[in-house]
Amino acid sequence: DTEVTQTPKHLVMGMTNKKSLKCEQHMGHRAMYWYKQKAKKPPELMFVYSYEKLSINESVPSRFSPECPNSSLLNLHLHALQPEDSALYLCASSHLARNTGELFFGEGSRLTVL
Amino acid sequence: KNQVEQSPQSLIILEGKNCTLQCNYTVSPFSNLRWYKQDTGRGPVSLTIMTFSENTKSNGRYTATLDADTKQSSLHITASQLSDSASYICVVSATSGTYKYIFGTGTRLKVLA
């Protein structure tokens, strides 16, 4: 199983809503990532978790709150977002022992903030 | 500063033709370079990986090259198909172990019938 599964595929929310994006992988990868991608741009790193601990936070606004409940799951909690936060949110994982190994991406969650 | 630049920014070719995409990087110390294909609205998928000692690697109709001296890589697509229409992203990893992958700006390829 070489899949990273993201839900939901599409999400529309108002600026006062609270929602969550979910990501799951069963490849035994111990590094998991959240990326944000705007149209026609490359993915931008938001967070990295290694062994379920937050390793990198790329100065992301606090309205984005990551959570790694266990080695297979990664959540991104959303609250009080702005319209400019509308983007494709990609989850990825990689084998921790080879920390420059292949990134396996999910299909992404398309977020629209009204 | 670690950077990855790709050219051209976009490319339109006819089905059946060949094309070559370019990637120049300034990442140091270099570990490996991957080419990803990203269909519109989907997650990127790895096509090939190039390490320091490798010059050429093929994956079906995709052939990647690496010149570690000039810090350049290319992705050659042979006999293009409509399904090749996508963005192609060059991603370089450094050996610093910070889990940071440096992404290029991508080349958007459109294959026309």
Side-chain angles (χ1 to χ4, degrees), chain A residues 10 14 44 53 77 81 99:
Chain A
H10 300 275
E44 297 178 1
K53 295 189 187 305
H77 302 299
L81 295 192
N99 63 8

Side-chain angles (χ1 to χ4, degrees), chain A residues 40-51:
Chain A
K40 300 182 180 180
K41 298 289 186 182
E44 297 178 1
L45 182 64
M46 300 175 72
F47 303 104
V48 180
Y49 273 82
S50 62
Y51 288 105

Side-chain angles (χ1 to χ4, degrees), chain B residues 96-113:
Chain B
S96 60
T98 61
Y99 311 115
K100 285 195 177 184
Y101 297 77
I102 297 92
F103 285 72
T105 50
T107 293
R108 294 188 301 281
L109 174 66
K110 179 73 172 177
V111 180
L112 300 177

Side-chain angles (χ1 to χ4, degrees), chain A residues 31 33 35 37 40 42-43 45 48 50 55-56 58 88 90 94 96 98-103 105-108 110, chain B residues 31-32 34 36 38 41-46 49 89 91 93-101 103-106 108:
Chain A
Y33 311 73
Y35 284 88
Q37 187 176 27
K40 300 182 180 180
L45 182 64
V48 180
S50 62
S55 176
I56 294 176
E58 290 288 279
L88 181 68
L90 293 165
S94 69
L96 194 64
R98 298 188 295 272
N99 63 8
T100 53
E102 179 178 352
L103 281 172
F105 286 91
E107 291 292 308
R110 172 71 62 186
Chain B
S31 174
N32 62 62
R34 291 183 183 271
Y36 284 82
Q38 184 176 23
R42 310 287 291 272
V45 176
S46 178
I49 176 175
I89 306 173
V91 182
S93 299
T95 53
S96 60
T98 61
Y99 311 115
K100 285 195 177 184
Y101 297 77
F103 285 72
T105 50
R108 294 188 301 281

Side-chain angles (χ1 to χ4, degrees), chain B residues 47-58:
Chain B
L47 292 174
T48 185
I49 176 175
M50 305 295 292
T51 58
F52 187 85
S53 59
E54 295 174 310
N55 297 119
T56 304
K57 186 175 287 186
S58 293

Side-chain angles (χ1 to χ4, degrees), chain B residues 15-16 37-40 47 61-62 77 79-88 109-113:
Chain B
E15 186 178 16
K37 177 187 179 187
Q38 184 176 23
D39 294 316
T40 300
L47 292 174
R61 294 182 296 102
Y62 300 103
I77 303 175
S80 61
Q81 299 176 358
L82 297 179
S83 58
D84 293 330
S85 295
S87 289
Y88 292 83
L109 174 66
K110 179 73 172 177
V111 180
L112 300 177

